[in-house]
Amino acid sequence: MPGQPATFYYDVNSPYAYLAAVRIGALIPGAVWRPIALGILFREIGKVPWSLRPGREEGMAECERRAAERGLPPLRWPEGWPADTWSFGPLRAAVVAEEHGLLAPFSLECFRLIFAEARVMAEPENVLEAARAVGLDPGEVSARIGEQEVKDRLRAYTDEAIGLGAVGVPTVAVGGELFWGDDRLEDAAAAASA
């Protein structure tokens, strides 16, 4: 059991968050998962993500290399990636999944669809496929993702991460310390077990 509680902030549109998500259960058992809207975080802190800057191919190649080193399926990039609005549907659906105790499985399925199958999550049928795959009722998910309560909870999680000083995802908060990046996951695990 971790000595200190850890919170894992992520957006399913981030390949680095994907790389962390597939490992965090083993490295930090009991970490609390928190979906956040990365596009909103970036707007709030005035940051342009690496994926929208010149030279983004280097970051994409790094993600592909890390996926291969970890035995994951070859990374595939959805057409037009990234567009921050793509993640609102699956992130709101993740809030619904959380109510059913299926947040991590649902999020992992979204990551798989995006980065192993190159699915565009702006298409509602892909979100509902992820829901169905983990045992959620697609009808309920479809109805609930538009509810203000669900939107407000996603915004609250995003504001929580902003308030802590997160500058991107994945970020793991342990105590008052933030560990940003897939390459800091082991450091976060060490802090959580301290």
Side-chain angles (χ1 to χ4, degrees):
M1 279 302 278
Q4 294 191 70
T7 304
F8 172 53
Y9 296 97
Y10 66 96
D11 184 317
V12 296
N13 208 25
S14 165
Y16 286 108
Y18 164 54
L19 293 168
V22 297
R23 301 186 307 131
I24 195 164
L27 287 172
I28 311 175
V32 174
W33 290 49
R34 284 283 183 263
I36 67 168
L38 186 58
I40 290 175
L41 181 145
F42 283 152
R43 280 193 290 273
E44 291 285 330
I45 67 173
K47 181 178 177 181
V48 176
W50 67 269
S51 55
L52 294 177
R53 286 188 241 148
R56 76 183 193 139
E57 295 77 14
E58 292 174 25
M60 294 168 78
E62 178 182 45
C63 291
E64 292 167 3
R65 178 182 51 75
R66 288 184 187 186
E69 288 171 353
R70 295 172 189 170
L72 296 172
L75 244 111
R76 296 180 55 206
W77 303 94
E79 185 177 341
W81 180 87
D84 65 357
T85 55
W86 285 5
S87 60
F88 287 125
L91 290 172
R92 290 174 186 161
V95 169
V96 177
E98 180 182 34
E99 295 172 359
H100 295 276
L102 294 169
L103 177 56
F106 174 79
S107 299
L108 288 167
E109 182 63 12
C110 287
F111 280 124
R112 188 188 71 75
L113 289 175
I114 296 168
F115 295 111
E117 295 190 11
R119 301 279 193 92
V120 175
M121 296 308 276
E123 298 173 7
E125 61 270 19
N126 288 329
V127 176
L128 299 182
E129 181 178 331
R132 192 176 298 107
V134 300
L136 289 166
D137 175 3
E140 178 193 357
V141 171
S142 181
R144 301 270 329 275
I145 60 176
E147 289 181 1
Q148 193 60 47
E149 175 191 350
V150 170
K151 294 177 183 179
D152 289 347
R153 193 153 1 120
L154 176 60
R155 182 62 200 233
Y157 290 160
T158 304
D159 288 345
E160 178 181 291
I162 292 167
L164 290 172
V167 296
V169 295
T171 292
V172 179
V174 180
E177 193 169 1
L178 298 182
F179 299 87
W180 172 46
D182 166 61
D183 56 348
R184 297 288 317 279
L185 203 52
E186 285 79 7
D187 296 337
S193 64

